Amino acid sequence: MEQNTINDYLNKNKQRFLDELFELLRIPSVSADSNRKNDMLSTAEKIKQRFTEAGADNVEVCPTEGIPVVYAEKIIDKNKPTILVYGHYDVQPADPLELWDSPPFEPVIKKTALHPDGAIFARGSCDDKGQMYMHVKAFELMMKTSTLPCNVKFMIEGEEEVGSPSLGNWVKTNKEKLKADIILISDTSILSNDTPSIDIGLRGLSYMEIELTGPNRDLHSGVYGGGVANPINILCKLIASCHDENNHITIPGFYDKVITETDIYRKELSSAPFNESDYKKDLNVSELWGEKGYNTIERTGIRPTLDVNGIWGGYTGEGAKTVLPSKAFAKVSMRLVPNQNSDEIGHLFKKHFESIAPKSVKINVTFHHGGEPVVVSTNSIGYKAASKALEQSFGKKPVITRGGGSIPIVALFKDVLGLDSMLLGFGLDTDALHSPNEHYGLFNYYKGIETIPLFYKHFCDLSTQK
Ligand code: BES
Ligand code: MN
Ligand code: MN
């Protein structure tokens, strides 16, 4: 009966739920771009308005040292459990713009092979405005159908894509306000629209920058070439030496603390449906790459990595300029797994690069931001509630995955608030998050709105049975 009321409400309001999301997607809330401060604020204000309309209390745009956090709550009974929902309203920069088939901040619906019912194409549609907004609409739905079974609090931040620099302090100063039983996050992926899955892990991150300086100025590459070290040549060599012939990372001590997963666990993870040829086809690569002894699921989930994110120096303009550059730069990210620590790995990286750099160049290695890996227990009430909710809405029991991305603030929630997080994401890895033509399936958007109230219900039931 209750389920019918909920589905009726969803069906009647489908178009409006989509229109409201479109309105958010039209605001270019790019946290990395300091010229977008006003857009950040108007996004926060819009979300605040929507929470208020849905019936939330104490709705606030809370100032932080950086971009504000939107807070909202509904406390129905102090003796009932409280779910704290986290999401982010900031998005990645949209460039390179020329690679988008439609403008990134003008959402449109188009069909794709994996989204035959249509997908919303816009920056942030999947990561994370679309997934965050499912929670606002699921909340409205529970309020308007009088089916909210427990207390709920929301914190929607605007700095996730730049490493959440202000959120840690904000959380520390608002511990009381954020008291809850669990954190619920939709900012990860499911395996496919017919294979629901629960991502029980996030990798940690150490993000580094290297600057190599050779001669004190750019030189004529004919006059000086061959006699003076070229910092770009050297940087390439140093970076290439970071992987051995088995694609293991060569930084001393890098694997010392890595947890070796059991064969049973590896088997369970690898039993998830994965089609290697589809994967290659989607990326248009003829061969996959990775650490010897592990398959693709493991390489991207339970194993640490090192990747150059950007490398530059010298002349990159039109045509040719003969120059032996003075400087070379690279940005390097390392994805970490339990029990690696982002500071420790950052230090090992710095020490290693300083030790292998030849005397012909000066080296400067700096640490950008980091975050710790997280694994969620499958024995928790949160996991059981998520599993039941997905089984009900998809008609299939979810499988376990370990996603390769990072949400660094999740480890901090555990440290500061003592709370576990449940990752109940609905995106697909192929939805082009952070890439041109990011999209989010209409199926996924509505399925999320349908599943979230089920999570609340099961979480509340299981908590009170305790
Ligand atoms: N939502 C992603 C993380 C994610 C995506 C996890 C898909 C699992 C599956 C998040 O917004 C993100 O992009 N995080 C960054 C880290 C951050 C410090 C910039 C990342 O993983 O690169
Ligand atoms: Mn995200
Ligand atoms: Mn992201």
Side-chain angles (χ1 to χ4, degrees), residues 30-49:
V30 179
S31 48
D33 185 347
S34 55
N35 295 320
R36 294 285 175 206
K37 288 259 144 46
N38 287 338
D39 291 314
M40 303 312 296
L41 287 183
S42 55
T43 311
E45 288 296 338
K46 186 46 84 185
I47 297 167
K48 174 183 167 180
Q49 180 199 334

Side-chain angles (χ1 to χ4, degrees), residues 88 90-92 127-128 160-161 187 406-407 433-434 438:
H88 63 93
D90 64 320
V91 303
Q92 285 275 323
D127 185 10
D128 181 43
E160 195 276 343
E161 298 292 7
D187 195 21
S406 310
I407 309 177
L433 19 165
H434 295 201
E438 177 178 353

Side-chain angles (χ1 to χ4, degrees), residues 182-369:
I182 194 168
I183 296 177
L184 179 62
I185 304 175
S186 296
D187 195 21
T188 51
S189 312
I190 51 171
L191 273 174
S192 75
N193 286 356
D194 27 58
T195 316
S197 57
I198 300 180
D199 184 351
I200 58 164
L202 293 165
R203 286 195 283 190
L205 183 68
S206 295
Y207 201 109
M208 313 297 296
E209 185 159 333
I210 309 168
E211 177 186 17
L212 284 193
T213 309
N216 59 2
R217 60 188 187 275
D218 285 3
L219 303 174
H220 189 294
S221 65
V223 175
Y224 289 94
V228 179
N230 179 325
I232 302 183
N233 293 12
I234 305 266
L235 184 58
C236 291
K237 198 166 162 184
L238 298 184
I239 287 170
S241 77
C242 284
H243 291 97
D244 69 11
E245 66 283 6
N246 295 320
N247 296 326
H248 283 291
I249 293 156
T250 56
I251 298 173
F254 185 83
Y255 292 102
D256 282 2
K257 296 201 173 155
V258 170
I259 289 193
T260 314
E261 303 292 358
T262 63
D263 288 347
I264 300 174
Y265 186 68
R266 289 178 62 182
K267 240 188 163 149
E268 178 173 11
L269 279 180
S270 302
S271 70
F274 174 77
N275 185 320
E276 189 170 313
S277 68
D278 285 353
Y279 190 85
K280 288 194 286 195
K281 212 163 122 196
D282 176 54
L283 302 172
N284 196 18
V285 293
S286 46
E287 197 175 88
L288 295 180
W289 178 96
E291 188 181 359
K292 195 171 171 190
Y294 295 91
N295 62 36
T296 305
I297 291 182
E298 296 170 331
R299 287 168 179 171
T300 58
I302 60 169
R303 297 298 293 167
T305 61
L306 182 152
D307 277 291
V308 180
N309 293 243
I311 182 161
W312 70 102
Y315 183 69
T316 55
E318 199 186 341
K321 175 188 177 193
T322 48
V323 59
L324 192 163
S326 164
K327 283 184 183 286
F329 303 85
K331 291 183 194 281
V332 179
S333 68
M334 290 169 284
R335 297 282 167 172
L336 314 179
V337 298
N339 279 331
Q340 287 177 301
N341 170 278
S342 63
D343 275 335
E344 267 173 41
I345 293 294
H347 277 112
L348 290 179
F349 179 95
K350 185 172 159 74
K351 217 172 79 190
H352 178 62
F353 267 81
E354 287 168 353
S355 78
I356 60 173
K359 287 214 172 64
S360 52
V361 293
K362 291 181 208 66
I363 182 160
N364 186 20
V365 180
T366 50
F367 193 86
H368 273 282
H369 55 62

